[in-house]
Every structure is written in structure tokens, then in C-alpha cells.
Amino acid sequence: MATNEARTVKEEQRTVTKMKENLPSADLFEADAHDGFQNMDQQDLALPFLRILGQLSPQVNKRDAKYVQGAEAGMIYNTVTNELYNGEKGINVIPCYYKREYIEWTDRGEGTGAPVAVHSATSSIIQEATRDSMGKDRLKNGNYLENTASYFVMICKDDGAETALVTMKSTQLKVSRTWNSMMNGLKIQGKNGLFTPPIFSHVYNMRTIQQSNDKGTWFGWTINKVGAVTNKNLYEQAKGFAQSVKKGDVQAKHTQEEKSTGSDSTPF
């Protein structure tokens, strides 16, 4: 009996070895690079959002259909891959493009769950709004505006990099302004004197910390500079992503559902 079991194990090992020998090489993959994607553009893709999970996030609730195994409040969550990152350790990102907008929403449970409209930061729409008792900038039509800072970033990983979006609003706008000042304050000596390097020239670490005010406690972002991008290919990739966003080829698809993950529903 033991002999039969040993023979079965050896046969399985030989099968696995044979399968590994027949695996296609990276050279074969490269020869067919992008094949099959000809009819796919950015409208067919979902740009991941990086969210901070809160105590009420469905991803941390084991009874919720959206539960993600191992998820805890304070972790960083990728909305497309469901990947979780340790909030205390944080993640390293390259910010590639920044923009601030006023996103117009209906109240939860009304409408389609998508923004009613997205207004540029230079729009006069905010002047038409009145702050209500809940701290929302409410329009006459009943909708409300969220002042939203968006960072199109590349996540630096051991096996490469991937694109994502980080949005900051409400209490996190203070963090956004600090980060912007940090990036804008960088100066490098060039041939013609000091200059401000492009936003995608440096890597930053994004961690989560617990914050609070008189209305509650939540997790928010804290950001520190790691250093300049030293890999030329990574720099070119970040630059290319920035150009795609600038041209409008890459756009954020905000949904009201994202507001339930925790970091976007912090107290005012």
C-alpha cells in the first residue's frame, strides 16, 4: 500500500515537472505583447482606488458580502484587486498627476450612485452652495458638493508598479495641502539654477494614522517623502501615466459606493 502511495507521489511530481518544462517563456509573451487588447481602451478599464478602511467599512465585516479576508480598520485597500496593505507600514507611491474638483452628489439612496456632475476647481458653483447642518455644501437643487483632491499615482511594488487613484476630501484636504506644499517646495540645482522637479520625480510613503475631532474618530493619511525616483524605466512609466491623465485618456470613475469604505466619510 505504501509502495502504491509512493509511486503515485512520484508520478504527480513528474507531471508537475513536465508542466513546468512546458511553461511559455517571457520571450514568447513579449513577442505577442498587447495582442488581444486592440479593442480595449480606458473606458473598458477600472482605475483602482486606494482607500483607507474604517470600522464601518463592509470589507471588515465578516457578515457582509463585500468582506475581504484579513481586512481591518486602518488598512489600505485596493478597490479593484481587493489587495490589502498594512496601514502602519504604508505603501510607496509616485504621484503622477493632481487635480481638484467639486463633485456633485445626490443624497445616498437617491439617483444612480454616480456623480450628478463633476465641476472644475475654478468653477463658481461653490458660491451657489450653502453649508447645511451636517456640514455639507448644499445646492438649491438639493444636491451637495464635495471638494475633492485627486492624486493619480503609481504604486511601487517589488515586482513592478501599478496605477491607482487616491482621493482626499473633508478632513483629509489638510493632508492634501501639506503634501502639495511638500512637493512644490522641492528644489534641485540645475544648469540654470534651482528648479522645481516634476511631480512624478519623487517617491512618497503613504501610511494611515488614527485621527479624531469632537464628532468622531477615524483613520486618515500621513505622508512622508522617501526620495527621488532612481529607476529610469519607472520614471518614464510615471511620466507616461501623467501624460495620459493630462490628455484625458485616463479618468476617474467615482461612485457613491466608494464613500462607504471609511476614509471618505470622515466627520467634518
Side-chain angles (χ1 to χ4, degrees):
M1 187 72 176
T3 302
N4 291 335
E5 291 179 354
R7 186 182 299 115
T8 301
V9 170
K10 288 182 179 180
E11 290 175 351
E12 291 177 350
Q13 290 175 341
R14 283 197 296 268
T15 301
V16 171
T17 300
K18 187 174 181 180
M19 290 176 63
K20 288 183 177 180
E21 291 175 350
N22 291 327
L23 285 175
S25 67
D27 292 338
L28 286 175
F29 290 155
E30 186 175 11
D32 297 322
H34 301 296
D35 194 17
F37 293 100
Q38 288 84 352
N39 297 318
M40 191 181 300
D41 58 26
Q42 289 298 326
Q43 296 298 318
D44 302 304
L45 303 175
L47 183 65
F49 281 73
L50 292 179
R51 302 290 181 197
I52 302 176
L53 296 180
Q55 296 288 353
L56 300 180
S57 299
Q59 290 78 14
V60 306
N61 183 354
K62 293 183 178 181
R63 301 297 298 273
D64 197 291
K66 296 178 182 178
Y67 170 70
V68 177
Q69 187 173 3
E72 297 178 3
M75 283 185 166
I76 303 169
Y77 170 66
N78 184 311
T79 61
V80 170
T81 65
N82 284 342
E83 190 169 0
L84 298 169
Y85 301 91
N86 186 313
E88 294 183 33
K89 180 180 179 181
I91 56 174
N92 288 346
V93 304
I94 302 173
C96 298
Y97 195 83
Y98 166 82
K99 64 179 177 180
R100 186 171 61 84
E101 300 165 313
Y102 292 107
I103 301 181
E104 182 178 343
W105 299 96
T106 59
D107 285 319
R108 182 175 294 280
E110 302 178 6
T112 63
V116 175
V118 178
H119 309 274
S120 70
T122 58
S123 169
S124 61
I125 188 74
I126 190 64
Q127 299 174 10
E128 303 173 17
T130 303
R131 185 63 59 92
D132 66 14
S133 59
M134 299 298 292
K136 294 183 181 295
D137 292 316
R138 187 77 61 175
L139 296 171
K140 292 182 179 179
N141 61 9
N143 299 336
Y144 65 93
L145 300 174
E146 279 192 326
N147 188 6
T148 305
S150 296
Y151 295 87
F152 294 79
V153 305
M154 285 183 54
I155 308 171
C156 301
K157 308 178 73 172
D158 294 337
D159 57 350
E162 59 186 51
T163 57
L165 181 70
V166 177
T167 59
M168 297 185 188
K169 55 194 74 171
S170 186
T171 58
Q172 299 306 292
L173 287 175
K174 182 178 180 179
V175 179
S176 172
R177 290 190 290 269
T178 299
W179 193 8
N180 291 344
S181 298
M182 190 187 309
M183 293 186 289
N184 196 50
L186 289 174
K187 304 298 175 186
I188 295 178
Q189 183 66 46
K191 296 179 180 179
N192 301 312
L194 293 174
F195 69 94
T196 302
I199 191 174
F200 44 81
S201 65
H202 282 67
V203 180
Y204 296 82
N205 180 256
M206 302 187 71
R207 296 184 296 110
T208 66
I209 57 172
Q210 195 171 67
Q211 301 174 330
S212 64
N213 61 17
D214 58 351
K215 295 185 178 180
T217 301
W218 67 95
F219 286 95
W221 294 109
T222 181
I223 301 170
N224 293 287
K225 179 169 66 71
V226 175
V229 177
T230 57
N231 184 295
K232 183 178 180 181
N233 290 335
L234 185 60
Y235 178 82
E236 293 296 338
Q237 189 177 349
K239 181 179 178 180
F241 181 48
Q243 292 173 341
S244 294
V245 178
K246 186 176 182 179
K247 290 188 298 183
D249 294 337
V250 177
Q251 297 183 0
K253 295 182 180 180
H254 300 275
T255 63
Q256 203 160 39
E257 180 180 1
E258 81 199 26
K259 295 164 64 59
S260 66
T261 54
S263 61
D264 293 325
S265 56
T266 55
F268 284 84

